[in-house]
Amino acid sequence: MSDKRKLNIKEIKDQLTSVNTELKDGVFVFTGPMSINDFAEAIKKPANEIITHYFKQGKMYNINHTLDEEAIAELCLEYGYDFQKENEVNAQNFMEQVQIVDSESDLQSRPPIITVMGHVDHGKTTLIDKIRNANVASGEAGGITQHTGAYQVEWKDQKITFLDTPGHEAFTSMRARGAKVTDIVVLVVAADDGVMPQTKEAIDHTKAAGVPMIVFVNKMDKPGADPERVKGELSQADVVAEDWGGDIQFIYGSGLKGEGIDQLFDAINIQAELLELKANPNRLAIGTVVESRIDKGRGVVATLIVENGTLMSRDFIVAGSNYGKIRTLETTVGQKIEEAGPGTPVTVTGLNYTPNAGDKFFGFQDEKFAKNLAEEKAFADKQADLKSRSIIEVKEGQKVLNVIVKADVQGTSEAVKHSLQKLENDEIKINVVRNSVGTISKSDILLAQASNAIICTFNIRPTGDVKKYAEDQKVEIRTYSIIYKMLEEVEDMINGMMKPKYQEEITGEANIIKVFSYSKVGNIAGCLMEKGYIESGSKVRLIRNGRVIHEGVLDSLQRGPNALKRADSGKDFGAHIKKYDDIKEGDIIEAYKDVEVTKK
């Protein structure tokens, strides 16, 4: 097999292209967004000239401000240049840009890759567990799948690959990535609950990816099951059942009791046949990383899905900006195999790094080429990262919460980072200093100390030595097993960092019915409280003929010779406004206070 497999090197080499960002013959050629400074250098104009251009529009930019493609086009027109965006294929983006085209004669049918999506408590995990005949739901903290994986089943001599993505809404980014490698989405909707926010979210991902959908109406065994209502709600989201004139297959069953699963497999096979899914098994593998983690005894263990070609042990792969050699191949249930063809999920060992969930991978036999490609990509990624860091415009006075994320698996780490960053606001920026998998190390503690960061862990517990070291270095470690709790606590921290916000609350109005003059004090207002209340030391406005003529503070509130703390509606009292005597009968005193608004 290895001698027959077509190499990936030629396609990559042939399609790598370099584009010079330059102004040539009145045409500005560029590849994507760039800073004001880089644009100014390319067109040989002072950066201040462009900054001034934006200043006149009321926009305060500095030389590191990033211009998007539309802004670049507008500036080109301003300077009288034509513009042309070119697509550059380089070490950084070749995974997404390189087109692999196989001749029709080399293509063979491959198993469909299925992603199961659904609202968090609609029975997705139960259905998946029933399909793979393993009950893991009871061991999950909070009833939420905390990891991702893939597995393969066989039905009527046809293999079906399932991609298992977490069902919690915080894993949106992973689900979006998962949809890219998916051929068919199975949407699980509870018959007794209907369409929920995450159901709509899953529909949006599926439509955005252009992936066909099958609906599994779950929990049909429940007393409140109402499949017609589910069909009606889904039709409002443009998911219309075949018996309602649409093109979506609806299957009805119970994941708990295993009902409807055979019909679901039949529906998947029908849809897969319509899609005519094909790949070339006789080439080096190309696919996607589903998950990676560090196993104490085996090192890095990664789950991959082969989308094209065949993966074999001893192959070199480039995934993300790293490369490694496959030492062992296993099915996702632990059976050792020598090779994995298109559409197959496989667990591999031997890599000396943990690739990110969602990373594309390419297989190679040439270690030198794989290493060079990975090093070039790592360098390009680092440059892009440095550039992106340099163009972050932090507003003056904005506070930064530094966080280090440690998780048991890479996909969770990525998703937690994504979720934390969504909590940012105008006042507080969340800076994820590092997000990685595995146990907390002393280097994590030192990094946290140097960057004044807290460490948030997910399904990871610090060892005794590390805990003591963190205490000595005054580094805070927060451990979690349920993501809701983590986000709630971080949100509380953000709220605590924000400046208090106040809104005015009017407490009452009083009419001045008599003015008394005292040489030592000044003019005293004899008042009747019309509504609400007024307190000693209260902030007040003096209103005359509908206009506010003074704002101040009461420095005395009395009834007769006795000082009052408060006068309520219907009561009379005497009051003096601090350092102010221009009061008249008929004026209104409006009392108010500033109330702190709940921070969010």
Side-chain angles (χ1 to χ4, degrees):
M1 168 64 85
S2 61
D3 292 334
K4 295 178 182 177
R5 288 184 300 167
K6 189 177 177 183
L7 304 180
N8 292 323
I9 293 176
K10 187 176 186 303
E11 278 93 343
I12 293 172
K13 282 184 173 178
D14 288 349
Q15 293 180 50
L16 288 176
T17 57
S18 180
V19 176
N20 289 327
T21 299
E22 60 182 350
L23 180 63
K24 189 174 182 181
D25 301 327
V27 179
F28 182 67
V29 179
F30 67 104
T31 58
M34 58 198 304
S35 70
I36 286 178
N37 191 55
D38 290 343
F39 178 77
E41 283 183 4
I43 65 170
K44 296 181 171 55
K45 298 282 185 185
N48 282 341
E49 192 175 295
I50 297 168
I51 291 170
T52 302
H53 165 78
Y54 282 114
F55 181 74
K56 289 176 179 176
Q57 297 177 11
K59 297 173 181 176
M60 303 290 287
Y61 293 158
N62 62 29
I63 59 172
N64 292 321
H65 175 77
T66 302
L67 301 168
D68 59 20
E69 292 167 20
E70 187 179 342
I72 291 169
E74 287 175 357
L75 282 172
C76 286
L77 293 174
E78 184 74 22
Y79 281 105
Y81 306 140
D82 285 333
F83 53 90
Q84 187 174 328
K85 184 178 181 294
E86 295 283 357
N87 190 34
E88 183 176 50
V89 181
N90 53 34
Q92 188 182 11
N93 66 7
F94 81 93
M95 296 271 187
E96 295 78 28
Q97 297 295 333
V98 166
Q99 301 292 317
I100 301 294
V101 180
D102 289 295
S103 62
E104 191 68 32
S105 59
D106 291 333
L107 298 177
Q108 297 178 22
S109 293
R110 68 161 175 83
I113 300 169
I114 315 298
T115 293
V116 182
M117 293 186 180
H119 192 68
V120 68
D121 57 355
H122 279 196
K124 181 179 80 77
T125 300
T126 306
L127 175 65
I128 287 171
D129 292 339
K130 206 70 174 181
I131 290 172
R132 67 184 174 192
N133 198 26
N135 181 18
V136 298
S138 59
E140 300 288 0
I144 299 167
T145 311
Q146 306 288 11
H147 66 278
T148 61
Y151 56 95
Q152 197 169 63
V153 299
E154 193 166 318
W155 174 252
K156 295 182 179 177
D157 299 324
Q158 300 288 323
K159 289 180 178 176
I160 303 170
T161 296
F162 284 89
L163 181 65
D164 175 11
T165 61
H168 187 279
E169 64 181 353
F171 292 81
T172 301
S173 58
M174 287 177 62
R175 283 222 294 267
R177 285 174 175 177
K180 291 177 185 175
V181 299
T182 300
D183 300 311
I184 302 165
V185 165
V186 172
L187 179 67
V188 179
V189 186
D192 63 339
D193 202 7
V195 173
M196 299 297 283
Q198 288 169 308
T199 316
K200 294 175 182 175
E201 184 184 290
I203 292 168
D204 290 342
H205 285 319
T206 306
K207 288 180 178 178
V211 177
M213 181 192 303
I214 295 169
V215 173
F216 186 84
V217 181
N218 195 25
K219 302 189 181 183
M220 287 294 291
D221 53 319
K222 287 287 189 78
D226 188 351
E228 291 302 304
R229 175 187 153 216
V230 171
K231 279 199 288 189
E233 290 179 356
L234 284 171
S235 68
Q236 292 176 11
D238 201 26
V239 177
V240 185
E242 287 177 323
D243 58 346
W244 280 25
D247 57 357
I248 306 293
Q249 295 183 81
F250 273 58
I251 309 299
Y252 305 91
S254 166
L256 190 64
K257 295 186 175 180
E259 295 168 358
I261 291 175
D262 291 355
Q263 291 84 347
L264 177 61
F265 288 161
D266 284 336
I268 289 169
N269 281 343
I270 290 168
Q271 187 66 63
E273 198 174 324
L274 292 172
L275 292 173
E276 296 183 342
L277 303 168
K278 293 183 178 181
N280 177 12
N282 297 313
R283 72 153 49 248
L284 270 292
I286 301 164
T288 300
V289 177
V290 176
E291 193 43 90
S292 66
R293 68 181 190 278
I294 297 173
D295 186 282
K296 279 187 178 178
R298 306 170 73 195
V300 175
V301 178
T303 303
L304 315 176
I305 282 192
V306 180
E307 294 169 58
N308 198 8
T310 296
L311 184 69
M312 303 180 73
S313 57
R314 296 176 299 281
D315 280 350
F316 295 94
I317 66 166
V318 175
S321 56
N322 292 279
Y323 88 104
K325 186 178 183 179
I326 304 296
R327 186 169 69 237
T328 65
L329 279 177
E330 294 177 356
T331 65
T332 52
V333 292
Q335 180 186 356
K336 281 192 165 26
I337 53 176
E338 287 301 313
E339 59 186 50
T344 305
V346 63
T347 302
V348 304
T349 65
L351 304 182
N352 54 6
Y353 65 98
T354 51
N356 291 329
D359 278 351
K360 291 281 287 185
F361 76 82
F362 276 68
F364 300 98
Q365 287 180 332
D366 185 336
E367 181 181 7
K368 187 178 178 182
F369 183 84
K371 184 179 180 182
N372 288 342
L373 199 60
E375 285 177 349
E376 283 182 39
K377 179 166 172 53
F379 179 76
D381 286 349
K382 191 172 183 180
Q383 293 299 109
D385 185 47
L386 288 171
K387 193 172 182 180
S388 68
R389 285 170 191 262
S390 69
I391 60 177
I392 291 173
E393 292 185 53
V394 180
K395 295 177 182 176
E396 190 176 345
Q398 186 182 35
K399 294 179 181 176
V400 178
L401 175 62
N402 292 315
V403 182
I404 291 173
V405 175
K406 297 288 290 189
D408 55 340
V409 292
Q410 182 66 43
T412 302
S413 166
E414 287 286 314
V416 168
K417 175 184 175 181
H418 176 80
S419 302
L420 288 174
Q421 288 174 332
K422 284 166 67 175
L423 297 177
E424 288 186 358
N425 56 45
D426 291 340
E427 284 187 45
I428 311 294
K429 173 180 170 54
I430 295 180
N431 177 32
V432 179
V433 180
R434 173 188 287 169
N435 67 308
S436 57
V437 299
T439 55
I440 304 168
S441 65
K442 287 190 176 180
S443 70
D444 292 321
I445 306 293
L446 290 171
L447 178 62
Q449 184 194 42
S451 56
N452 193 27
I454 63 165
I455 298 176
C456 291
T457 74
F458 199 77
N459 286 341
I460 297 288
R461 291 291 183 274
T463 61
D465 290 347
V466 167
K467 209 171 186 178
K468 175 77 167 56
Y469 188 64
E471 288 171 2
D472 292 343
Q473 302 303 318
K474 294 182 172 54
V475 169
E476 183 181 358
I477 299 175
R478 297 192 175 202
T479 58
Y480 304 92
S481 59
I482 300 175
I483 199 164
Y484 287 115
K485 191 70 179 169
M486 177 189 285
L487 297 182
E488 281 176 4
E489 287 196 11
V490 173
E491 192 165 20
D492 287 342
M493 290 175 67
I494 290 171
N495 291 338
M497 292 169 69
M498 290 170 68
K499 294 176 184 174
K501 288 186 171 64
Y502 297 93
Q503 68 181 21
E504 184 183 290
E505 182 182 292
I506 296 170
T507 65
E509 284 185 8
N511 285 333
I512 298 178
I513 53 177
K514 188 79 174 172
V515 177
F516 303 94
S517 294
Y518 292 91
S519 56
K520 290 184 179 180
V521 181
N523 290 341
I524 301 292
C527 303
L528 177 66
M529 201 69 207
E530 291 289 340
K531 59 183 178 180
Y533 65 89
I534 193 167
E535 293 179 318
S536 176
S538 177
K539 291 183 177 181
V540 295
R541 295 186 184 91
L542 188 68
I543 301 170
R544 183 175 297 158
N545 299 324
R547 289 181 59 210
V548 177
I549 62 169
H550 178 72
E551 291 196 26
V553 178
L554 291 188
D555 62 2
S556 71
L557 183 68
Q558 292 192 225
R559 181 172 297 121
N562 302 318
L564 291 177
K565 286 187 177 180
R566 166 171 165 151
D568 289 301
S569 178
K571 301 293 184 179
D572 59 358
F573 61 90
H576 180 257
I577 300 173
K578 188 176 181 180
K579 295 182 181 178
Y580 191 77
D581 287 323
D582 181 19
I583 57 174
K584 295 181 180 178
E585 292 179 13
D587 288 350
I588 295 171
I589 294 178
E590 182 181 74
Y592 67 96
K593 61 182 178 180
D594 294 324
V595 179
E596 186 174 344
V597 180
T598 303
K599 293 175 286 189
K600 185 74 174 170

